[in-house]
Amino acid sequence: MYLSRGVAPRLGGTRIELQPIAADHASALFEIWTHPAVAPWLDTPPLASVTDAEQLIALLLQMGREEESLRWSITLPDGEIIGSCGYNQWQLPGAYRGEIGCELSPSCWGQGYMREALELVLDFGFGTMGLNRIEALCHPGNIRAHGLFQALNFSQEGLLRQYRHTASGFQDVSLYALLRDEKL
């Protein structure tokens, strides 16, 4: 059975690298996580400062040590951090499933970076972790996320009504899933 022991391995793609998220990524990720085109889609409390981003990263790292989460920063060859992605949660015995999440700097939208990043995450989940099912939750209005998951061969399985509570109230989410034998 796969155990991360709190360490997300580096995963290399053609144009990007996934590096384990780290405290020194907080400034770059804060800029992405608080961008007006990104923040409305996140399932996190609003971040007011880089310190808040540091605290969120510390929480993600703690969840990794507890075998609940794995998170990477998405970097370009020059080391620029352009986003993050990973497993918000995962469970092996009894389910063999995980839930992914992702965010990308709007300056990098439409260039295939997130697709490449998620292909690495999916390969790692199905191959190394031994997952059978990978899920993604997104806001029904997030058209870019819907298109990305469909392009990766995820099936939309339904709408989870009032699934999240945010500062603006209860929010529906669309549920997408990909099974191991459906991966492209």
Side-chain angles (χ1 to χ4, degrees):
M1 180 173 73
Y2 175 77
L3 293 174
S4 71
R5 294 182 169 69
V7 178
R10 288 181 183 265
L11 302 175
T14 305
R15 300 176 306 141
I16 54 118
E17 180 179 75
L18 300 185
Q19 297 181 11
I21 198 168
D24 63 349
H25 300 175
S27 181
L29 290 172
F30 174 75
E31 295 302 319
I32 296 164
W33 291 338
T34 60
H35 191 285
V38 176
W41 309 120
L42 299 181
D43 181 26
T44 61
L47 303 176
S49 67
V50 173
T51 301
D52 288 348
E54 290 169 347
Q55 291 171 350
L56 178 56
I57 290 170
L59 174 64
L60 293 168
L61 292 171
Q62 178 61 35
M63 290 172 66
R65 287 188 292 276
E66 294 170 0
E67 303 293 337
E68 294 177 11
S69 174
L70 282 175
R71 198 74 180 180
W72 291 272
S73 290
I74 305 166
T75 62
L76 295 176
D78 65 3
E80 178 186 358
I81 295 171
I82 61 170
S84 75
C85 63
Y87 288 93
N88 296 336
Q89 58 185 354
W90 53 282
Q91 177 187 1
L92 290 175
Y96 294 91
R97 67 177 172 81
E99 177 197 315
I100 59 172
C102 56
E103 311 85 35
L104 188 68
S105 172
S107 66
C108 296
W109 288 0
Q111 299 176 49
Y113 291 123
M114 187 55 76
R115 181 179 179 140
E116 183 176 345
L118 289 185
E119 286 173 345
L120 293 170
V121 169
L122 294 172
D123 287 345
F124 184 79
F126 288 130
T128 302
M129 294 173 72
L131 299 175
N132 182 62
R133 175 186 170 91
I134 298 176
E135 301 170 347
L137 302 176
C138 66
H139 187 284
N142 191 342
I143 303 305
R144 298 187 72 80
H146 286 272
L148 173 63
F149 295 127
Q150 290 168 354
L152 290 166
N153 210 35
F154 278 70
S155 296
Q156 186 171 358
E157 294 187 338
L159 180 72
L160 303 174
R161 298 176 311 134
Q162 297 186 4
Y163 187 78
R164 293 182 180 150
H165 187 265
T166 67
S168 61
F170 288 99
Q171 181 185 93
D172 296 344
V173 296
S174 297
L175 170 63
Y176 282 87
L178 179 67
L179 304 179
R180 174 194 303 269
D181 61 1
E182 296 171 340
K183 185 170 180 316
L184 297 174

